[in-house]
Amino acid sequence: MSVSSVSEDLAWAVGRKAQHGVIMRWDGERWSEDTAPGLPAVGQWSSVSAVAADDVWAYGEVNRNQALVHYDGERWSTVPTTGPSDDSWPEVPIKAVPGRLFKGGNALYTYADGAWQTFALPRLVDIRDIDALSADDAYATGMRYPVNGGHPVAYHWDGTTWTLMEEPPVRAGTDTAKITADSPDSVYVAGWADGPNAGPPIPSVAHWNGTAWKDVTGSLAGLYLHAIAPDGRGGLWVTGNDQSESPRSEPVFWHYDGTAWTKEPGATAPDGDTRWPSYTFYDLAPAGDSGAFWAVGDYSTPLDANGDRTVNGLIERSTTLPLTATPS
């Protein structure tokens, strides 16, 4: 469901297996389940944010209650949260930077020096994603729901409070659920809308240049857009579930260089050539400073004669060569 790294040799990915949450750790050679003590039993870990080897946060849920944990380099500890559980969107986003943790949902929350600060939101507004450049410069996006009849929202944190930004110019009906900040002059928001007549989804991407938003969707098409990440050069990577050849969904990534979009294939799973699987990615994150990135999600087989479907976790890492895939 989520991935975050602090270097090429250290990263965490979180999600679930069967009915329990799982946290995975990358040590530079392989992924394995994190065995550090202190983790509570949860139904799912939905978000992870790593600042340093001894400063990692993860958010999940258990029995409709919130679970927030922090890793100090030796063990995980449960941290009390504030505010109610978000029943509308339990996959609440978090983002950690040195000295501060940001949390979304049905309000905007910041945590520093052991204390929470809450910024109330208007009715029916829900924050779906947060990114931060520093403890005093963060960005959040979401929607005033319902999607049809509502509108996207974007907020900026200046170290003291959250301020509503100009409304991003995305296609009507777009559920704006992703945001990433490369600098104060380069912030992207993204989402997707249902296509007409049960057709492929219609993604939207808008760019903030420090003064105004601009629609940069261009030729991007046919994608349930679930994940975005900066490329480190002012551009953007996006992915999700590609529906250009529905119902089969290939592993697909799109790159925006500031002017145009390029569609690139991902790596197929080692056992993914036998039953026409469908791929979905839920998060992207830089893999250190090399320009490579991690992508996490799953691939599922079609329903068999008994109505059963196999779903496998999937982690991919980009390289200068085609993407490599690791089933989890």
Side-chain angles (χ1 to χ4, degrees), residues 39 54 60 75 84 98 108 128 167 212 214 226 246 284 291 316:
L39 280 175
D54 58 356
R75 64 176 294 114
L108 278 160
R128 302 287 304 282
E167 185 177 318
K214 178 183 178 182
H226 297 313
S246 180
L284 292 170
E316 300 199 5

Side-chain angles (χ1 to χ4, degrees), residues 171 193-202:
R171 178 187 175 92
D194 290 323
N197 302 317
I202 303 172

Side-chain angles (χ1 to χ4, degrees), residues 37 94 163 228 298:
I94 61 170
T163 302
I228 63 176
D298 58 46

Side-chain angles (χ1 to χ4, degrees), residues 174-249:
T174 296
D175 190 353
T176 305
K178 291 296 173 181
I179 192 165
T180 191
D182 197 38
S183 72
D185 299 331
S186 184
V187 180
Y188 291 92
V189 298
W192 57 270
D194 290 323
N197 302 317
I202 303 172
S204 289
V205 180
H207 180 251
W208 174 260
N209 64 8
T211 303
W213 292 102
K214 178 183 178 182
D215 184 348
V216 295
T217 306
S219 61
L220 179 65
L223 184 70
Y224 287 112
L225 198 161
H226 297 313
I228 63 176
D231 67 0
R233 302 185 301 274
L236 186 72
W237 286 100
V238 306
T239 188
N241 178 272
D242 179 66
Q243 290 294 305
S244 59
E245 297 183 18
S246 180
R248 181 183 181 182
S249 174

